[in-house]
Amino acid sequence: MPTLAYLLLGSNLGNRQETLRTAVAQLHATAGPVVAQSSLYETAAWGLTDQPAFLNQAVAVATSLPPDALLAACQRVEQQAGRTREIRWGARTLDVDILLYGQEIIDTPTLQVPHPRLSERRFALVPLVEIAPEVVHPGVGRTVADLLAVCEDVLGVERRVS
C-alpha cells in the first residue's frame, strides 16, 4: 500500500517555473504518482537572504518507496536539474525536501521526517496547507493549518498567478 509523502520543491536559479514543472514530472515517474500539487509561490529566501527569491511548490506523492529510497529519488531529481551543494541555504536550481512521510517519525543521520523546521517556515506551510490543510504533523499532533496559523515566520510568501 503506497504511503502519502509530502514534498516541498524550491528553485531560485534559472527558469524556476520550468525547473519545478520538470521536477514534478520526474518525481511522478520515479517516486510515485503525484496526486496533488499546490500553486506556485514566490518566496523570500530563508536563512541566507542575499540571493534571488524562490519559487516554491508542495506536492503529494503516493509512493511505494521506503523513506531512504524516496530521499535518493529526490536527490537524483535535484542532480538532474544541476543542483550543487556548496553553501548551506545558498542559491540552487532545485531543492526537494521531504516534509512528511505518512505519519512516520524518522530520525537518522541522513533523513529527518517530519522536516525539522517545517513548523517554522511559512514558505513550506503555505503551499502545504493549500493541498493538505488537515494533515497532522506527527511530531506535534496538530494540523498543518493550525501550525500555519501560529507560525511566527514573517518572510513574504505570495501565490503566483500565471
Side-chain angles (χ1 to χ4, degrees), residues 109-140:
T110 57
L111 181 61
Q112 290 181 297
V113 176
H115 190 285
R117 288 170 296 285
L118 173 59
S119 62
E120 302 167 14
R121 294 179 171 179
R122 186 171 209 75
F123 70 85
L125 288 168
V126 170
L128 182 57
V129 165
E130 180 185 332
I131 62 171
E134 298 304 315
V135 73
V136 174
H137 184 300
V140 295

Side-chain angles (χ1 to χ4, degrees), residues 61-162:
V61 177
T63 188
S64 296
L65 298 175
D68 57 337
L70 177 59
L71 175 62
C74 292
Q75 290 173 338
R76 280 192 301 275
V77 171
E78 289 176 340
Q79 290 167 352
Q80 289 170 351
R83 167 82 189 260
T84 58
R85 295 176 186 271
E86 296 170 10
I87 301 171
R88 185 173 191 193
W89 298 320
R92 60 210 95 148
T93 54
L94 180 65
D95 188 32
V96 181
D97 288 333
I98 301 172
L99 300 177
L100 299 166
Y101 183 89
Q103 285 294 294
E104 290 193 34
I105 296 175
I106 302 160
D107 189 3
T108 70
T110 57
L111 181 61
Q112 290 181 297
V113 176
H115 190 285
R117 288 170 296 285
L118 173 59
S119 62
E120 302 167 14
R121 294 179 171 179
R122 186 171 209 75
F123 70 85
L125 288 168
V126 170
L128 182 57
V129 165
E130 180 185 332
I131 62 171
E134 298 304 315
V135 73
V136 174
H137 184 300
V140 295
R142 297 179 70 182
T143 68
V144 292
D146 289 343
L147 293 176
L148 177 58
V150 298
C151 182
E152 296 179 3
D153 181 7
V154 296
L155 288 180
V157 178
E158 293 184 28
R159 187 175 181 176
R160 186 165 181 191
V161 179
S162 300

Side-chain angles (χ1 to χ4, degrees), residues 25-69:
Q26 290 173 331
L27 288 165
H28 185 84
T30 61
V34 173
V35 297
Q37 54 187 311
S38 74
S39 302
L40 300 178
Y41 289 87
E42 188 87 21
T43 64
W46 189 95
L48 187 59
T49 58
D50 186 21
Q51 59 182 308
F54 277 83
L55 206 55
N56 288 109
Q57 181 178 35
V59 299
V61 177
T63 188
S64 296
L65 298 175
D68 57 337

